[in-house]
């Protein structure tokens, strides 16, 4: 039986908390463990215990535990009178992090995140795309990288590279077909690893495809990562907009600048007669943007070609993104 992240988490929780996300490659499990440099002598016995525990699990033949020591390790520090500085998970070489969020799933958030990353790259910037949507990772499919597996090299996870972008997704670490059950701490641990343990190198912009909704994972990103801004994607239906408003509220409360709202699957143009039909209503997102005093970045039609090309790993950014990139670059420069 194939081993899963939940099996690993359940087995290791008595030893380490939070349990880092493991790379599972058939029956080989690789785990990267951050240790306190001041307690380096305790690391080896712990490493051995973790290794033995993993090897005792059905479906694990080989366990590799890589120890890394971060200078700014925070756990186990004595309690200070002053509140400790806010944890900052921003990777060192990354200038700006922009997240693409939505109140609910299936509105095209991943399609927008990938299009935005490609359009930014095409404008001459160095860009990465981090697929934080661990419930339904889309990056492997969007970039035709379903069989790519990320490897640890030199203590860091090497991202995939495609279309000039650096890419990381949970889909590069675990088998795409295996069902995954994620608990709050695991999601936060995955996000932390994606930001801190991936060799992003020097990037102008890291675009983050957020998980849908406004739960723990989104709050972690909003609170622990200095985000240059958030883009919110919604469809024009009332129901999606109610959730989009929740996302707007969350970013406002955590002082993350909202760069704008994009309405996806906005209208449909008949391939035969050119007639424009507003299947899910009209201008809902535009009104929501106006009411909440945030920029409306534009509307993307519901087009069979967008779905077909994204399913085949051949997505090209909708024209709208040229303007979006222009206004973003201006905003980020100020
Ligand atoms: P989310 O990340 O919000 O769950 P996705 O980006 O994965 O949504 O999109 C969900 C599905 O809708 C995908 O199959 C995608 O190809 C399709 N899709 C997204 N935007 C459009 C669009 N404008 N027109 C047609 N299909 C779209």
């Amino acid at each position: 039986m194939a081993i899963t992240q939940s099996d690993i988490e359940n087995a290791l929780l008595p030893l380490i908390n939070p349990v880092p996300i493991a790379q599972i490659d058939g029956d080989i499990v690789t785990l990267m463990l951050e240790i306190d440099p001041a307690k380096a002598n305790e690391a080896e016995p712990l490493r051995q215990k973790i290794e033995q525990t993993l090897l005792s699990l059905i479906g694990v033949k080989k366990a590799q535990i890589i120890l890394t020591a971060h200078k700014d390790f925070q756990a186990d520090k004595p309690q200070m009178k002053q509140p400790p500085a806010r944890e900052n998970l921003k990777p060192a070489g990354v200038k700006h992090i922009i997240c693409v969020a939505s109140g609910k799933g299936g509105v095209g958030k991943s399609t927008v995140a990938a299009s935005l990353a490609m359009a930014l790259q095409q404008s001459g910037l160095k860009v990465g795309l981090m697929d934080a949507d661990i419930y339904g990772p889309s990056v492997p499919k969007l970039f035709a990288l379903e069989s790519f597996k990320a490897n640890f090299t030199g203590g860091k996870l090497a991202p995939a590279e495609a279309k000039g972008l650096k890419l990381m997704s949970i889909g590069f670490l675990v088998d795409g077909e295996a069902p995954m059950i994620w608990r709050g701490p695991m999601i936060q641990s995955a996000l932390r690893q994606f930001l801190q343990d991936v060799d992003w190198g020097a990037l102008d912009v890291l675009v983050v495809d957020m998980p849908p909704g406004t739960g723990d994972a989104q709050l972690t990103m909003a609170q622990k990562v200095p985000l240059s801004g958030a883009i919110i994607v919604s469809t024009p239906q009332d129901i999606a907009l109610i959730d989009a408003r929740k996302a707007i509220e969350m970013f406002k409360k955590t002082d993350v600048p909202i760069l704008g709202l994009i309405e996806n699957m906005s209208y449909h143009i008949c391939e035969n007669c050119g007639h424009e039909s507003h299947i899910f209503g009209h201008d809902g997102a535009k009104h929501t943007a106006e009411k909440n005093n945030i920029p409306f970045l534009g509307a993307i039609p519901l087009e069979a070609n967008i779905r077909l090309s994204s399913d085949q790993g051949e997505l090209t950014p909708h024209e709208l993104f040229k303007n979006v990139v222009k206004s973003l670059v201006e905003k980020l420069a100020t």
Side-chain angles (χ1 to χ4, degrees):
M1 209 173 69
I3 188 87
T4 67
Q5 293 288 338
S6 319
D7 298 336
I8 294 171
E9 202 209 12
N10 289 334
L12 296 184
L13 255 183
L15 298 174
I16 39 171
N17 190 4
V19 177
I21 298 305
Q23 184 193 359
I24 303 172
D25 193 0
D27 50 14
I28 307 170
V29 173
T30 309
L31 201 86
M32 206 148 78
L33 190 66
E34 202 181 315
I35 56 157
D36 181 353
K39 291 186 178 174
N41 54 341
E42 290 170 24
E44 182 51 25
L46 177 64
R47 193 195 66 75
Q48 285 178 14
K49 262 191 222 158
I50 293 173
E51 189 176 16
Q52 283 157 12
T53 309
L54 287 174
L55 287 172
S56 72
L57 298 175
I58 296 168
V60 179
K61 285 237 170 71
K62 192 172 170 197
Q64 314 180 101
I65 292 100
I66 300 163
L67 300 177
T68 60
H70 283 223
K71 277 204 294 300
D72 52 354
F73 188 87
Q74 284 294 320
D76 293 329
K77 283 253 171 81
Q79 277 286 297
M80 285 173 281
K81 285 207 182 96
Q82 297 289 328
R86 228 186 189 197
E87 191 183 18
N88 180 352
L89 295 178
K90 189 173 175 199
V94 173
K95 284 190 198 149
H96 293 284
I97 304 183
I98 294 176
C99 71
V100 179
S102 67
K104 68 191 279 280
V107 298
K109 170 183 54 57
S110 302
T111 311
V112 167
S115 303
L116 176 69
M118 281 189 259
L120 284 163
Q121 192 273 340
Q122 284 160 14
S123 81
L125 299 175
K126 283 195 203 121
V127 183
L129 175 60
M130 171 176 143
D131 183 0
D133 190 351
I134 36 202
Y135 306 105
S138 311
V139 161
K141 194 170 203 182
L142 281 167
F143 291 87
L145 288 167
E146 282 105 329
S147 52
F148 177 84
K149 284 277 166 278
N151 282 313
F152 288 105
T153 40
K156 287 260 176 190
L157 258 180
E161 292 191 34
K163 301 199 172 167
L165 301 172
K166 291 203 170 164
L167 306 163
M168 183 48 73
S169 168
I170 198 77
F172 299 157
L173 296 172
V174 296
D175 290 335
E177 300 306 318
M180 279 186 279
I181 302 159
W182 291 95
R183 289 214 300 265
M186 280 176 83
I187 297 170
Q188 289 181 36
S189 159
L191 292 181
R192 181 187 301 267
Q193 272 193 295
F194 275 13
L195 291 162
Q196 293 281 292
D197 297 337
V198 172
D199 186 11
W200 290 113
L203 292 181
D204 295 304
V205 185
L206 177 63
V207 177
V208 178
D209 180 5
M210 295 277 273
T214 48
D216 283 353
Q218 295 78 357
L219 259 178
T220 300
M221 284 299 295
Q223 290 176 330
K224 296 192 174 172
V225 183
L227 295 169
S228 297
I231 289 179
I232 295 165
V233 184
S234 179
T235 55
Q237 295 109 302
D238 279 344
I239 192 81
L241 283 170
I242 289 166
D243 289 316
R245 273 180 229 133
K246 285 189 200 153
I248 294 171
E249 275 307 303
M250 183 189 74
F251 288 118
K252 279 192 172 163
K253 276 195 185 130
T254 47
D255 290 329
V256 174
I258 299 175
L259 299 166
L261 186 66
I262 290 182
E263 184 172 276
N264 189 32
M265 308 189 195
S266 179
Y267 53 94
H268 178 247
I269 298 173
C270 173
E271 279 100 15
N272 296 323
C273 67
H275 173 71
E276 190 176 308
S277 46
H278 295 262
I279 301 168
F280 301 125
H282 197 32
D283 281 344
K286 196 174 176 185
H287 291 142
T288 301
E290 277 163 10
K291 257 198 217 152
N292 288 275
N293 211 10
I294 60 174
F296 179 66
L297 298 176
I300 303 170
L302 179 74
E303 259 180 31
N305 192 33
I306 295 182
R307 196 193 57 75
L308 285 172
S309 62
S310 58
D311 282 354
Q312 289 161 0
E314 286 165 8
L315 181 69
T316 46
H318 185 267
E319 259 175 73
L320 168 86
F321 288 95
K322 278 194 195 133
N323 289 334
V324 171
V325 162
K326 222 171 121 199
S327 81
L328 281 190
V329 169
E330 279 165 17
K331 263 190 204 154
L332 295 180
T334 55

